[in-house]
């Protein structure tokens, strides 16, 4: 299915000035465009508001999710990928091209725990791989009615994985929200920037990606 590719412009800021607190309160975030165009195509209820922002300074790509939600679910049994996967979280996927061979996934919960892995077509996920620890930073905070996850990824690491082409990064931006159903079980609501136009929830598909444009 042909559909217009969504774009988001990442504004440029001076080097080494944006310091992450996990609260998204640094003054430089005011220079970022607000992305609020999220949907849950497989759910009749409109998702709670999400504000995504991104900036860069030639050295790092900075991202900031503010999610308005007063009922956060987090699995704290341990710090395993299983626990993160069963918690409210935000997600960034990066791909080299439409083949998804490979693509890279960063999933972060409200405690700033990171589930990072490399993936291949047909949801072939390799959890033994991780983003270089020195090349990524994630912090978070929780308020009464919202939570914030912000982070920084080195531009060099994105280049090393061949993810920046002509100042463009093909990116999926997502959220997983867990709620109790009528039987008391937890079930996820899947929220996305780009509607992949699938019958069932699926972020692991080429049509779920948009483009971040690094502005100079």
């Amino acid at each position: 299915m042909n559909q217009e590719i969504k774009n988001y412009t990442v504004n440029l800021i001076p080097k080494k000035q944006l310091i992450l607190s996990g609260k998204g309160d640094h003054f430089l975030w005011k220079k970022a465009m607000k992305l609020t165009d999220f949907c849950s195509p497989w759910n009749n209820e409109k998702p709670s508001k999400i504000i995504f922002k991104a900036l860069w300074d030639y050295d790092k790509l900075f991202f900031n999710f503010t999610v308005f939600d007063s009922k956060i679910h987090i699995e704290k049994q341990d710090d395993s990928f299983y626990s993160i996967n069963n918690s409210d979280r935000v997600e960034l996927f990066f791909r080299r091209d439409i083949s998804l061979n490979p693509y890279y996934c960063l999933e972060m919960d409200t405690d700033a725990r990171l589930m990072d892995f490399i993936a291949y077509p047909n949801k072939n996920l390799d959890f033994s791989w991780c983003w270089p620890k020195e090349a990524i930073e994630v912090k978070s905070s929780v308020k009464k009615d919202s939570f914030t996850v912000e982070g920084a990824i080195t531009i060099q690491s994105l280049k090393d994985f061949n993810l920046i082409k002509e100042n463009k990064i093909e990116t999926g931006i997502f959220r997983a929200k867990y709620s109790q159903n009528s039987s008391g079980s937890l079930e996820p609501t899947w929220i996305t920037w780009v509607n992949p136009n699938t019958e069932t929830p699926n972020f692991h598909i080429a049509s779920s990606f948009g483009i971040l444009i690094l502005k100079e």
Side-chain angles (χ1 to χ4, degrees):
M1 174 180 287
N2 293 324
Q3 65 182 52
E4 183 180 354
I5 301 296
K6 286 188 174 181
N7 296 327
Y8 172 87
T9 300
V10 182
N11 288 332
L12 181 66
I13 56 173
K15 283 187 178 183
K16 303 184 186 303
Q17 291 196 17
L18 178 51
I19 300 172
L20 302 182
S21 67
K23 299 178 181 179
D25 55 358
H26 195 281
F27 73 91
L28 281 172
W29 282 120
K30 294 179 180 178
K31 295 185 177 296
M33 294 180 62
K34 291 184 179 181
L35 176 63
T36 60
D37 185 18
F38 291 89
C39 63
S40 180
W42 313 279
N43 192 293
N44 291 328
E45 293 185 17
K46 184 178 180 180
S48 61
K49 186 176 182 180
I50 302 168
I51 300 174
F52 174 82
K53 301 176 184 177
L55 295 166
W56 77 302
D57 67 357
Y58 287 112
D59 289 336
K60 294 180 180 180
L61 171 70
F62 300 93
F63 61 87
N64 178 335
F65 290 86
T66 299
V67 180
F68 292 85
D69 189 349
S70 60
K71 295 181 179 180
I72 298 169
H73 172 73
I74 184 167
E75 172 59 67
K76 288 192 173 182
Q77 181 174 340
D78 52 41
D79 287 332
S80 67
F81 280 8
Y82 176 83
S83 290
I84 300 171
N85 192 54
N86 287 296
S87 299
D88 284 10
R89 62 190 185 277
V90 293
E91 307 177 2
L92 290 173
F93 291 5
F94 302 114
R95 72 183 189 192
R96 294 178 179 177
D97 54 50
I98 199 171
S99 72
L100 299 182
N101 191 25
Y103 59 107
Y104 302 84
C105 306
L106 306 174
E107 306 193 10
M108 300 148 285
D109 70 10
T110 59
D111 268 7
R113 298 183 301 180
L114 173 64
M115 179 167 67
D116 48 347
F117 53 96
I118 192 172
Y120 302 90
N122 301 313
K123 291 187 179 180
N124 180 5
L125 315 180
D126 180 0
F127 290 98
S128 68
W129 182 94
C130 60
W131 202 276
K133 294 189 183 301
E134 70 279 2
I136 187 169
E137 178 184 11
V138 181
K139 294 187 176 183
S140 66
S141 63
V142 177
K143 295 181 179 179
K144 185 177 180 180
D145 61 351
S146 67
F147 68 88
T148 297
V149 176
E150 62 177 358
I153 302 167
T154 65
I155 294 296
Q156 187 59 55
S157 66
L158 291 163
K159 289 180 177 178
D160 289 344
F161 299 135
N162 198 25
L163 295 171
I164 302 179
K165 298 176 181 178
E166 297 179 345
N167 273 23
K168 296 179 180 179
I169 308 172
E170 298 182 26
T171 306
I173 308 175
F174 314 110
R175 181 195 175 201
K177 164 63 183 173
Y178 279 82
S179 305
Q180 280 191 340
N181 59 25
S182 57
S183 64
S185 300
L186 287 167
E187 61 180 28
T189 298
W190 302 102
I191 301 162
T192 176
W193 171 35
V194 177
N195 183 351
N197 291 299
T198 56
E199 289 188 11
T200 57
N202 189 359
F203 297 160
H204 299 265
I205 190 170
S207 56
S208 71
F209 285 71
I211 298 175
L212 304 185
I213 301 174
L214 303 178
K215 184 178 180 182
E216 295 195 70

